[in-house]
């Protein structure tokens, strides 16, 4: 998708810069002239929403650091000071803590979008894997950030999660002591988590750069899952079309984000995190942040420690293999009637696991999480490979222009100038 | 004998490999401090032992003390608790160990109060074996601190300790 830039500088300074570092034509080619499929819907605005959230987290994070103290006896107090004394501190902290939730909410939609429309299929495998890496880095960043206020959930969440590594055979205990820098989660742990919490978002920025680069090499997928054939007929320039649509998406997303910040800032948090960390007392019910719950449920559904940990990491790792597990030639669920049903069952399973992760590990909840955990893996390891072989798919439109005309044909005046006539009216 | 013209290794080949080997050792020597700095530092290691006066603990009570940043349970066991711990057929245990192997004096059980599953602190005198119950993911320990049910793989660990007098123990 390169080389569509119509950038021809007239200004002398711009020409001078272009001859030395062609950054302006690069930006123009990537975000102005860049051809975007005509048929993109609002699920495609989540990439821009995610970029916005990443910047929001970095900006609020940097200013919080100006008031936060990463020391185990002072951290909790410094966060309370941010809440009570620092000018606008309450707003910045609520923006950062709810920002993490909104960031994950957006990334889950973005991932489900990719699964529904088959965006991981050739030639977008590397693009997809880079996305899985970003997701992992986000989880590490979110986890370490949650430790920083040094409340009860911070401390015990950190204890439970770092103890996952003690399940590694033979060297597990040594690795855990190394991670802690002591014999339990303590000040050294808080210090290193703070250093990494500051660092990782910038690594995410770098991987997002690669992700967008890979995207601009292959071009965007689209709701019909057919490749761009004719730039003039199938696409519109990024600016103003995608820029405006993305901006509108961000505005609606901001409404939701602001509602959380200003009306229910603690709804997604845990009240126990307003109690200072106490290494001598475990809270009666430990729950991670909501965005980890489905994976936490998988961990707890298995009665064996090592197997539980393996299953939890496998639940994330399996995403990276999606391009090869899905054997169907057709990308979009729009033309895969059976896949579409399984997709929604999968969504229900994933959300159901999230619910179960917050419930106490007793009786019926344990059984239910076992069933859903099996269903989760079955979707990837059984349903996807087999569906490609047995599913009877619907006919796929020949081009994006055809798909658009099939839907809006009679109402659209461009239809007359289009090469192929619409066959059905959607 | 189809092809095979074996070329003698030259001086240049030797120098190439030797240089590479030295560079690899050099890189490892730089990486090691970067990794090892994360291990417990000298001051953390120095806090390695604690002395506790156990004279005031009545029979049937468990106290929790802090050692290396972790809780240690000192349980003054009753006759009944000792008997329950000793009467178990150890072949039925997930992590088989006799009670005698876990105590120095039967009335004093001293264990690290960290669940061997994922590190929560179990609650004393709870669970169906009258020992400990871990609220995090439901592991159940008996009056000898042995795992009986739930996801934890091992018994509660026994720290190193010595009785300095009848009422004083040194842990660590
Ligand atoms: C990927 C982006 C990021 C995510 C997902 C994230 C997530 C989080 C979370 C969940 C918390 C705990 C909030 C609470 O409950 O109080 C937190 C705290 C914190 N974060 Fe971040 N963060 C990100 C980026 C950053 C950056 C770039 C910085 C610094 C440059 C930063 C600095 C801080 C500080 C100082 C705190 C402690 C203050 C507090 O608890 O509110 N964060 N972060
Ligand atoms: S930490 Fe005790 S059961 Fe999981």
């Amino acid at each position: 998708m390169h080389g569509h830039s119509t950038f021809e500088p007239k200004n002398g300074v711009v020409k001078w810069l272009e001859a030395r570092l062609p950054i302006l034509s690069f930006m123009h080619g990537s975000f102005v002239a860049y051809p975007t499929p005509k048929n993109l819907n609002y699920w495609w605005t989540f990439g821009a929403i995610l970029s916005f959230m990443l910047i929001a987290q970095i900006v609020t994070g940097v200013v919080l650091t100006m008031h936060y103290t990463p020391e185990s006896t002072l951290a909790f107090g410094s966060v309370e000071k941010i809440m009570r004394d620092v000018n606008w501190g309450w707003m910045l902290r609520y923006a950062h803590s709810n920002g993490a939730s909104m960031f994950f909410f957006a990334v889950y939609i973005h991932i489900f979008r990719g699964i529904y429309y088959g965006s991981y299929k050739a030639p977008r495998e590397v693009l997809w894997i880079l996305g899985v890496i970003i997701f992992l880095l986000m989880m590490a960043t979110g986890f370490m950030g949650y430790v920083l206020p040094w409340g009860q959930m911070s401390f015990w969440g950190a204890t439970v999660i770092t103890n996952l590594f003690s399940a590694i055979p033979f060297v597990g205990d040594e690795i855990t002591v190394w991670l802690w820098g002591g014999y339990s989660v303590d000040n050294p742990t808080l210090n290193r988590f703070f250093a990494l919490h500051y660092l990782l978002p910038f690594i995410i920025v770098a991987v997002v750069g690669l992700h967008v680069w890979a995207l601009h090499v292959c071009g965007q997928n689209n709701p019909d899952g057919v490749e761009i054939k004719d730039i003039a007929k199938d696409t519109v320039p990024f600016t103003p079309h995608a820029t405006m649509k993305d901006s509108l998406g961000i505005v609606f997303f901001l409404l939701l984000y602001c509602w959380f910040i200003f009306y229910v800032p603690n709804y997604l948090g845990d009240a126990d995190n307003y109690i200072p960390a106490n290494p001598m007392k475990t809270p009666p019910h430990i729950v991670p942040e909501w965005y980890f719950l489905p994976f936490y449920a998988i961990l707890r559904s298995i009665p064996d420690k090592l197997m539980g940990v393996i299953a939890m990491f496998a639940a994330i790792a399996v995403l990276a293999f999606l391009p090869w597990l899905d054997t169907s030639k057709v990308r979009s669920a729009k033309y895969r009637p059976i896949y579409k049903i399984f997709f929604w069952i999968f969504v229900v399973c994933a959300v159901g696991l999230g619910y179960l992760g917050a419930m106490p590990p007793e009786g019926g909840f344990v059984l239910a999480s076992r069933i859903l955990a099996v269903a989760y893996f079955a979707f990837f390891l059984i349903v996807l490979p087999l569906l490609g072989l047995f599913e009877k798919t619907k006919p796929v439109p020949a081009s994006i222009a055809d798909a658009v005309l099939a839907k809006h044909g009679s109402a659209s005046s461009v239809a007359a100038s289009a090469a192929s006539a619409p066959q059905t009216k959607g | 004998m189809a092809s095979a013209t074996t070329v003698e290794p030259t001086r240049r080949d030797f120098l190439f490999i030797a240089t590479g080997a030295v560079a690899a050792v050099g890189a490892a020597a730089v990486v090691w401090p970067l990794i090892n700095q994360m291990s417990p530092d000298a001051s953390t290691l120095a806090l390695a032992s604690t002395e506790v006066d156990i004279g005031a603990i009545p029979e049937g009570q468990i106290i929790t003390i802090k050692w290396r940043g972790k809780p240690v349970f000192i349980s003054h066991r009753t006759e009944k608790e000792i008997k329950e711990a000793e009467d178990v057929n150890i072949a039925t245990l997930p992590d088989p160990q006799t009670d005698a192997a876990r105590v120095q004096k039967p009335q004093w059980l001293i264990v690290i109060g960290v669940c061997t599953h994922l590190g929560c602190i179990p609650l004393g005198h709870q669970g169906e074996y009258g020992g400990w119950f871990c609220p995090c993911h439901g592991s159940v320990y008996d009056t000898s601190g042995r795992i009986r049910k739930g996801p934890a793989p091992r018994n509660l660990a026994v720290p190193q300790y010595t009785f300095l007098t009848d009422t004083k123990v040194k842990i660590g």
Side-chain angles (χ1 to χ4, degrees):
Chain A
M1 293 297 118
H2 277 298
H4 305 293
S5 180
T6 48
F7 190 67
E8 276 170 30
K10 304 225 163 48
N11 179 304
V13 180
V14 176
K15 275 189 189 154
W16 180 88
L17 179 64
E18 273 296 303
R20 286 154 183 83
L21 179 72
I23 187 166
L24 294 174
S25 59
F26 175 75
M27 300 301 276
H28 186 268
S30 306
F31 302 107
V32 179
Y34 184 74
T36 54
K38 266 183 183 169
N39 55 344
L40 296 187
N41 56 30
Y42 272 97
W43 300 116
W44 262 262
T45 61
F46 278 84
I49 290 170
L50 284 163
S51 310
F52 175 85
M53 286 315 302
L54 179 56
I55 294 166
Q57 287 305 91
I58 290 178
V59 171
T60 51
V62 169
V63 293
L64 281 172
T65 307
M66 296 180 187
H67 307 280
Y68 169 79
T69 314
E71 205 277 335
S72 60
T73 58
L74 303 171
F76 187 86
S78 77
V79 173
E80 284 312 300
K81 202 168 138 62
I82 291 173
M83 295 300 288
R84 292 153 204 248
D85 297 347
V86 173
N87 301 327
W88 300 102
W90 60 273
M91 191 182 80
L92 296 166
R93 172 162 181 255
Y94 282 154
H96 194 75
S97 58
N98 288 290
S101 283
M102 298 309 289
F103 198 1
F104 275 95
F105 174 60
V107 89
Y108 281 125
I109 293 188
H110 194 65
I111 293 173
F112 279 128
R113 187 282 315 261
I115 298 178
Y116 187 86
Y117 292 111
S119 298
Y120 44 81
K121 291 188 193 178
R124 297 186 181 79
E125 302 93 327
V126 172
L127 171 62
W128 175 260
I129 291 171
L130 287 166
V132 176
I133 293 172
I134 295 170
F135 179 48
L136 276 172
L137 289 169
M138 277 175 66
M139 295 216 269
T141 310
F143 160 64
M144 291 196 245
Y146 193 60
V147 177
L148 302 185
W150 211 242
Q152 271 291 67
M153 275 302 156
S154 299
F155 184 90
W156 289 100
T159 299
V160 167
I161 302 298
T162 47
N163 261 302
L164 293 178
F165 293 90
S166 71
I168 300 170
F170 309 116
V171 290
D173 289 328
E174 281 76 11
I175 290 184
T176 327
V177 166
W178 176 74
L179 285 174
W180 290 334
Y183 300 103
S184 61
V185 173
D186 208 335
N187 188 49
T189 327
L190 175 59
N191 274 226
R192 62 192 58 181
F193 278 16
F194 176 62
L196 295 173
H197 184 69
Y198 205 126
L199 170 71
L200 287 186
F202 295 92
I203 308 252
I204 295 180
V205 169
V207 184
V208 168
L210 296 176
H211 189 70
V212 173
W213 183 9
L215 174 72
H216 284 203
V217 170
C218 312
Q220 284 164 287
N221 184 30
N222 57 76
D224 291 287
V226 289
E227 291 292 329
I228 295 169
K229 300 218 166 74
D230 179 337
I231 301 248
K233 290 205 188 94
D234 292 344
T235 72
V236 288
F238 194 93
T239 302
H241 301 275
T243 324
M244 282 299 134
K245 197 165 185 163
D246 284 348
S247 305
L248 188 61
I250 291 174
V251 167
F252 277 102
F253 195 79
L254 271 173
L255 284 177
L256 181 66
Y257 183 16
C258 289
W259 181 68
F260 274 107
I261 298 176
F262 296 107
Y263 289 88
V264 284
N266 287 306
Y267 179 71
L268 296 168
D270 195 302
D272 272 4
N273 223 26
Y274 284 104
I275 304 170
N278 178 357
M280 288 297 157
K281 191 171 171 295
T282 308
H285 187 42
I286 295 191
V287 243
E289 290 282 83
W290 70 266
Y291 36 84
F292 294 129
L293 288 174
F295 303 105
Y296 193 59
I298 291 177
L299 167 80
R300 294 194 313 185
S301 70
I302 294 178
D304 180 83
K305 178 173 168 180
L306 178 61
M307 291 313 291
V309 175
I310 291 176
M312 186 185 77
F313 283 108
I316 303 165
V318 74
L319 284 171
F321 297 94
L322 202 51
W324 296 277
L325 290 170
D326 183 348
T327 50
S328 175
K329 294 271 176 297
V330 176
R331 281 208 192 98
S332 171
K334 222 168 152 176
Y335 304 104
R336 299 186 60 189
I338 306 181
Y339 174 71
K340 197 190 249 176
I341 297 168
F342 277 108
F343 170 83
W344 287 111
I345 295 176
F346 173 69
V347 173
V348 170
C349 288
V351 175
L353 279 169
Y355 167 77
L356 292 167
M359 295 295 114
E362 303 156 353
F365 294 128
V366 177
L367 182 66
S369 18
R370 283 187 192 153
I371 295 171
L372 292 193
V374 170
Y376 179 96
F377 283 106
F379 175 75
F380 291 105
L381 302 177
I382 301 171
V383 175
L384 284 183
L386 291 183
L387 262 192
L389 306 178
F390 298 114
E391 186 181 28
K392 202 168 153 354
T393 55
K394 293 191 201 160
V396 175
S399 70
I400 294 174
D402 278 5
V404 173
L405 292 171
K407 199 168 163 199
H408 302 290
S410 57
S412 166
S413 56
V414 258
S417 64
S420 53
Q423 269 129 43
T424 51
K425 193 173 170 293
Chain B
M1 281 300 180
S3 62
T5 41
T6 38
V7 186
E8 279 285 296
T10 61
R11 232 168 103 90
R12 185 172 287 254
D13 288 338
F14 174 76
L15 286 174
F16 188 71
I17 289 167
T19 313
V22 171
V25 171
V30 172
V31 168
W32 178 244
L34 291 175
I35 293 174
N36 190 235
Q37 52 81 22
M38 279 176 65
S39 294
D41 66 14
S43 72
T44 310
L45 293 170
L47 295 172
S49 75
T50 312
E51 282 179 24
V52 196
D53 190 346
I54 55 173
I57 309 172
E59 203 179 274
Q61 200 180 349
I62 303 173
I63 65 152
T64 307
I65 57 131
K66 197 172 176 179
W67 173 65
R68 287 175 155 189
K70 287 183 183 180
V72 169
F73 299 144
I74 303 182
S75 170
H76 192 169
R77 299 193 293 182
T78 60
E79 284 304 323
K80 180 169 165 281
E81 286 174 331
I82 298 171
K83 193 164 174 337
E84 276 170 10
E86 286 172 348
D87 285 353
V88 176
N89 172 8
I90 66 160
T92 62
L93 297 176
D95 182 8
Q97 224 182 0
T98 60
D99 186 59
R102 297 177 52 78
V103 291
Q104 291 178 15
K105 299 181 177 179
Q107 65 271 39
W108 295 107
L109 174 76
I110 302 182
V111 287
I112 296 180
V114 173
C115 181
T116 59
H117 182 226
L118 296 174
C120 294
I121 302 180
L123 307 168
H125 295 311
Q126 287 195 29
E128 55 204 272
Y129 295 92
W132 284 268
F133 172 74
C134 181
C136 288
H137 317 98
S139 290
V140 184
Y141 299 88
D142 65 14
T143 55
S144 186
R146 289 172 299 202
I147 180 67
R148 300 298 286 269
K149 250 179 84 176
R154 277 174 287 117
N155 301 333
L156 293 179
V158 178
Q160 264 197 2
Y161 62 89
T162 34
F163 280 93
L164 301 174
T165 67
D166 268 353
T167 60
K168 205 164 196 147
V169 282
K170 183 173 141 225
I171 298 176

